């Protein structure tokens, strides 16, 4: 019996890591949805232990020795891509001390639990002690990663979510966005002035809204044998490809926000459920990056979910689930879904004002990680930014201001920019899908989204991480990421 090759041994090691990650994902989902309050400390310790175990497995001397022993020229193209992703994961993990990995896991769990209490109570001061520790540890991680990579501290964290993206490239994209977004937003608001849609009149039951959401999920191809929908304080998509967990949050006085949240998370879920099964336990079988992931959720929510073709399809389902009323008239539903109305809450934001929320968070978190500001400075900077970008006053309103998002509680600094990058990519992907499938919009209007779903499956979902992001985009669309597609999409939908 021949001994397994170095590559085969590495595959076995990463399969073990995949299974550890499966357990961690389920424990994390339970922590955010089902776990009783009193279980948090014990869960935090267990998950910190698991994170250290995974880190030790990934950075063990044997792992590095196996990587050094491989002759990549002897591997098939898919194996070479998998090896590239293995090397990146090991390199990124090796620079991190195990003690810091454990401390971050514990601090993140405690901060998230504090956020659950402090946000409803508008208690920024009560949130600060646990948040300070998360920021302190994130700055230490940024310092270590920046020294190893030879880049700025914030860029080092950004590349955890978007490998290879430089701040120079990001700033070029965002500086262009800053130039045209305020004018487009003002024009869209002015254009819609005096055209206020009829608002849905509740109350709307949670069970009825859930059944409506599940119907739309099935229409979008979600596999309920390998996933489920639940409730959490902050909507998310988690779990693993074979068991995807979505959440939303419901309001009794309004029904479309939860539904759009479900559509958004279903985009993430369909990506996860359709990653290449032959690479399921390996790095090459994972989603490419967070910007690509967000492009899928925003292809569903914004490109498809707010299109007139889809919204008209939605009308009979709304009536069947929630009863008929004037707000559910087809043209009114289109006006509701495409209403531009700057608001305080990012996840509820319309398509045009949403990028302003991302610019605000990007500016604050970058300055925070670089040590240019401290956590005590955030509320004032938030107030100033909301006023400048959206003309809104958030003074004293921490709940709907700097406490509204969960992302900073676990140190996910560098994540927020991927939302707008994802929106830009979604617009470019939709344009490419329309070129490839000229009947796409007509088929959606007829109640058949299969052309879009199959195109995304072939060009994005089943590619996993076999291609790096620039090559994935180029093969799918024929060119590099081009934000002008996003600008054009917004102008055509809201000003055309």
């Amino acid at each position: 019996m021949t001994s397994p090759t170095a590559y085969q041994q590495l595959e076995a090691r990463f399969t073990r890591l995949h299974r550890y990650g499966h357990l961690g994902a389920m424990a994390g989902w339970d922590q955010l949805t089902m776990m009783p309050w009193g279980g948090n400390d014990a869960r935090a310790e267990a998950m910190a232990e698991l994170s250290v175990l995974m880190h030790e497995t990934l950075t063990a001397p044997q792992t590095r020795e196996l990587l050094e022993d491989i002759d990549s020229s002897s591997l098939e193209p898919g194996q070479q891509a998998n090896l590239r992703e293995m090397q990146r994961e090991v390199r990124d993990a090796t620079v991190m001390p195990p003690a810091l990995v454990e401390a971050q896991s514990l601090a993140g769990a405690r901060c998230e639990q504090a956020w659950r209490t402090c946000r409803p109570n508008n208690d920024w001061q009560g949130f600060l002690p646990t948040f300070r520790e998360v920021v302190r540890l994130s700055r230490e991680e940024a310092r270590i990663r920046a020294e190893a990579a030879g880049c700025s501290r914030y860029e080092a964290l950004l590349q955890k979510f978007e490998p290879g993206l430089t701040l120079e490239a990001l700033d070029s994209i965002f500086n262009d966005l800053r130039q045209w977004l305020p004018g487009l937003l003002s024009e869209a608001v002015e254009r819609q002035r005096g055209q206020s849609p009829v608002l849905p009149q509740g109350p709307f039951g949670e069970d009825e809204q859930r059944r409506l959401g599940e119907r739309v999920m099935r229409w979008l191809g979600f596999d309920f044998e390998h996933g489920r929908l639940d409730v959490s304080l902050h909507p998310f998509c988690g779990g693993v490809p074979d068991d995807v967990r979505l959440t939303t949050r419901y309001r009794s006085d309004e029904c479309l926000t939860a539904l759009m949240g479900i559509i958004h998370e279903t985009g993430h879920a369909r990506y996860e459920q359709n990653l290449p099964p032959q690479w399921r336990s390996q790095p090459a079988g994972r989603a490419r990056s967070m910007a690509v992931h967000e492009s899928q959720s925003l292809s569903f929510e914004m490109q498809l979910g707010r299109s007139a073709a889809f919204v008209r399809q939605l009308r009979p389902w709304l009536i069947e689930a929630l009863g008929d009323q004037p707000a559910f008239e087809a043209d009114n539903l289109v006006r509701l879904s495409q209403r531009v109305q700057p608001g305080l809450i990012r996840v509820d934001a319309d398509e045009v004002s949403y990028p302003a929320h991302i610019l605000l968070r990007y500016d604050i978190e970058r300055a925070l990680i670089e040590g240019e500001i401290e956590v005590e400075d955030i509320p004032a900077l938030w107030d100033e930014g909301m006023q400048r970008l959206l003309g809104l006053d958030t003074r004293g309103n921490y709940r709907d201001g700097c406490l509204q998002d969960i992302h900073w509680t676990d140190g996910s600094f560098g994540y927020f920019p991927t939302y707008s990058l994802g929106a830009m990519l979604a617009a470019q992907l939709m344009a490419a899908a329309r070129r490839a499938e000229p009947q796409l919009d007509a088929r959606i209007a007829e109640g058949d989204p299969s052309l879009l779903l199959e195109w995304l499956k072939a060009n994005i979902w089943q590619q996993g991480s076999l291609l790096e992001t620039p090559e994935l985009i180029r093969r799918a669309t024929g060119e590099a990421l081009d934000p002008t597609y996003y600008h054009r999409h917004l102008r055509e939908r809201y000003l055309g």
Side-chain angles (χ1 to χ4, degrees):
M1 183 175 179
T2 59
S3 299
T5 66
Y7 177 78
Q8 290 170 332
Q9 292 180 66
L10 278 169
E11 276 197 332
R13 188 164 286 246
F14 276 87
T15 295
R16 183 181 306 150
L17 284 163
H18 169 75
R19 291 168 179 164
Y20 291 160
H22 182 150
L23 296 176
M26 290 303 143
W29 167 84
D30 176 75
Q31 187 177 31
L32 294 173
T33 57
M34 308 286 286
M35 188 189 75
W37 172 271
N40 189 66
D41 288 347
R43 180 63 53 84
E45 291 169 359
M47 292 184 70
E49 189 74 26
L50 181 60
S51 67
V52 171
L53 175 62
M54 294 178 68
H55 184 266
E56 289 175 345
T57 303
L58 194 57
T59 62
Q62 184 183 4
T63 305
R64 297 195 297 274
E65 290 167 7
L66 289 169
L67 285 170
E68 292 169 0
D69 289 344
I70 292 177
D71 176 10
S72 62
S73 64
S74 66
L75 302 178
E76 299 294 328
Q79 293 174 326
Q80 291 179 348
N82 194 38
L83 176 62
R84 179 196 68 226
E85 294 303 303
M86 288 176 174
Q87 292 168 331
R88 180 175 64 82
E89 289 193 16
V90 171
R91 182 175 61 249
D92 288 350
T94 299
V95 301
M96 288 288 287
L100 180 55
V101 173
E102 181 177 23
Q104 285 184 303
S105 181
L106 285 168
R110 290 166 182 159
C111 189
E112 188 274 330
Q113 198 72 358
W115 174 81
R116 285 170 173 251
T117 302
C118 294
R119 186 181 180 231
N121 293 326
N122 199 41
D123 185 7
W124 173 253
Q125 292 301 319
F127 178 69
L128 279 181
T130 56
F131 185 48
R132 283 195 191 95
E133 180 64 4
V134 167
V135 171
R136 184 185 73 81
L137 295 170
S138 295
R139 285 174 169 174
E140 178 63 10
E141 177 187 4
R143 181 191 65 78
I144 292 170
R145 292 192 181 281
E147 289 176 359
C151 64
S152 75
R153 297 184 180 189
Y154 184 77
E155 182 172 292
L157 297 187
L158 174 69
Q159 292 190 357
K160 289 173 57 182
F161 304 102
E162 202 55 40
L165 180 64
T166 66
L167 275 181
E168 181 181 9
L170 180 62
D171 280 338
S172 176
I173 293 170
F174 277 7
N175 288 341
D176 178 66
L177 178 64
R178 293 178 202 271
Q179 292 299 311
W180 58 258
L181 181 64
L184 195 154
L185 178 58
S186 296
E187 284 185 68
V189 170
E190 183 60 33
R191 184 184 182 92
Q192 294 185 6
R193 195 178 302 279
Q195 301 177 6
S196 298
V198 178
L199 300 179
Q201 299 298 308
F204 300 103
E206 184 172 314
D207 288 344
E208 290 78 10
Q209 291 189 66
R210 176 181 53 78
R211 284 194 290 271
L212 171 64
E214 289 177 346
R215 179 169 187 170
V216 174
M217 290 168 69
R218 288 188 178 91
W219 187 77
L220 292 168
F222 183 82
D223 179 4
F224 278 95
E225 291 187 359
H226 293 90
R228 55 181 286 151
L229 173 66
D230 291 283
V231 176
S232 68
L233 288 176
H234 192 99
F236 70 90
C237 175
V240 294
D242 293 308
D243 187 0
V244 179
R245 305 298 177 92
L246 277 68
T247 71
T248 192
R249 57 188 179 198
Y250 300 103
R251 290 170 46 181
S252 62
D253 65 328
E254 198 269 338
C255 60
L256 295 180
T257 298
L259 181 59
M260 285 299 167
I262 289 171
I263 294 171
H264 178 101
E265 302 305 338
T266 301
H268 285 304
R270 291 287 279 135
Y271 187 11
E272 289 290 326
Q273 288 183 335
N274 287 276
L275 290 167
Q278 67 273 32
W279 295 104
R280 186 61 50 88
S281 66
Q282 297 298 308
R286 295 179 192 149
R288 175 60 261 173
S289 70
M290 284 315 305
V292 176
H293 229 310
E294 292 302 335
S295 78
Q296 300 311 287
S297 61
L298 294 171
S299 289
F300 275 46
E301 180 194 2
M302 298 300 187
Q303 295 292 324
L304 173 62
R306 296 185 187 276
S307 69
F310 169 76
V311 171
R312 293 177 188 280
Q313 173 70 31
L314 182 62
R315 170 176 154 77
W317 302 343
L318 278 165
I319 293 172
E320 181 180 334
L322 305 175
D324 200 1
Q325 57 173 280
F328 296 161
E329 187 270 328
D331 289 342
N332 190 70
L333 282 173
V334 174
R335 287 193 293 271
L336 276 170
S337 68
Q338 297 182 6
R339 179 174 52 165
V340 179
Q341 186 177 50
L344 299 177
I345 305 298
R346 175 186 64 84
V347 297
D348 298 341
D350 63 80
E351 193 175 14
V352 182
S353 62
Y354 189 96
H357 289 267
I358 300 306
L359 292 175
L360 169 67
R361 287 154 177 78
Y362 169 58
D363 291 342
I364 290 175
E365 70 175 19
R366 179 174 175 177
L368 186 65
I369 292 301
E370 296 290 355
E372 298 167 4
I373 64 170
E374 298 300 331
V375 293
E376 292 81 4
D377 301 321
I378 291 176
L381 291 168
W382 191 284
D383 298 338
E384 184 277 327
M386 287 295 287
Q387 187 63 240
R388 171 172 44 84
L389 292 164
L390 293 169
L392 299 174
D393 186 355
T394 60
R395 287 174 295 179
N397 184 358
Y398 308 113
R399 182 184 187 280
D400 297 328
C402 51
L403 275 177
Q404 68 179 264
D405 292 301
I406 198 173
H407 302 63
W408 287 344
T409 66
D410 69 352
S412 293
F413 299 103
Y415 187 163
F416 277 119
T418 67
Y419 283 111
S420 283
L421 293 172
M424 294 170 185
L425 178 54
Q428 186 168 337
L429 290 172
M430 185 61 80
R434 286 190 172 111
R435 289 195 301 270
E437 303 288 355
Q439 297 301 310
L440 186 147
D441 288 302
R443 290 278 291 275
I444 291 170
E446 294 168 359
D448 178 10
S450 61
L451 287 180
L452 174 61
L453 300 180
E454 289 302 316
W455 189 89
L456 290 172
K457 181 178 180 179
N459 289 279
I460 302 296
W461 302 344
Q462 293 194 333
Q463 300 303 317
S465 285
L466 292 166
L467 303 172
E468 295 186 272
T469 304
E471 182 63 12
L472 177 70
I473 297 171
R474 188 190 68 77
R475 291 198 190 185
T477 70
E479 55 191 317
L481 177 65
D482 184 354
T484 60
Y485 283 99
Y486 181 55
H487 189 183
R488 186 183 310 153
H489 158 71
L490 293 179
R491 293 198 69 87
E492 289 177 353
R493 175 173 284 181
Y494 297 96
L495 300 178

